[in-house]
Amino acid sequence: MSPADLVMQSYGRCCASSGFFDSFYQYFLASSPEIRDKFAHTNMPAQKQLLRQGILNLVMHARGMPDTKLRALGCSHSRAALDIRPELYDLWLQALLQSIGEHDGQCDASTRLAWHEVLNKGISVIKAQY
Ligand code: HEM
């Protein structure tokens, strides 16, 4: 199976596991005060739904979708808008991989590697807009 297909199936299992996005934000917010500050006034239930779609955009990009949606995300997260420093994506990635490990009961080493590959490709498109 290709990395993009492995990730698509793993993401399906994560989304079907209750509390996946709660776990992600729990880890992500705990990872730095700078991140907690950024989300201080955010409606978190709504944000979890937005992230569900945002991750799907990363996955679909790996399956060949044009990068238009990721570039728009890059624009909203850029210096002139949300001002998300590129270093913070490392914490984002760690929090997500931790949550995947806990919520995808079939996540093995090759699935983990596939997620790394897929996410890094999309994240570089987003960071390039900073
Ligand atoms: C690839 C990784 C990421 C994805 C897929 C993602 C996705 C999203 C999406 C879909 C939204 C809502 C739509 C928009 O504003 O464009 C959003 C908003 C936001 N994101 Fe991200 N994001 C990522 C990384 C980060 C990181 C590293 C931070 C660091 C703190 C961050 C902080 C925020 C904030 C503060 C908002 C606005 C929240 C509000 O409305 O109050 N994001 N993100």
Side-chain angles (χ1 to χ4, degrees), residues 25 28 34-35 38-39 41-43 47 50-51 53-55 58 72-73 76-77 82 84-85 88-89 92 123 126:
Y25 277 108
F28 190 41
E34 183 177 354
I35 290 173
K38 290 282 183 196
F39 288 106
H41 306 293
T42 301
N43 171 347
Q47 182 65 23
L50 290 167
L51 185 69
Q53 185 61 44
I55 295 173
L58 290 170
L73 260 183
S76 71
H77 287 62
L82 289 167
I84 304 303
R85 291 188 304 110
L88 298 179
Y89 292 87
W92 188 95
I123 288 173
I126 296 174

Side-chain angles (χ1 to χ4, degrees), residues 44-110:
M44 291 313 285
Q47 182 65 23
K48 286 169 193 169
Q49 288 305 317
L50 290 167
L51 185 69
R52 177 185 291 263
Q53 185 61 44
I55 295 173
L56 191 61
N57 288 335
L58 290 170
V59 175
M60 296 309 282
H61 178 244
R63 287 166 73 94
M65 196 184 77
D67 63 7
T68 325
K69 294 220 165 97
L70 292 186
R71 286 156 59 112
L73 260 183
C75 200
S76 71
H77 287 62
S78 69
R79 196 183 273 109
L82 289 167
D83 191 16
I84 304 303
R85 291 188 304 110
E87 292 74 21
L88 298 179
Y89 292 87
D90 294 344
L91 299 175
W92 188 95
L93 192 61
Q94 276 173 32
L96 191 69
L97 288 168
Q98 172 104 23
S99 312
I100 292 166
E102 287 171 18
H103 288 267
D104 174 8
Q106 297 175 44
C107 184
D108 56 11
S110 54

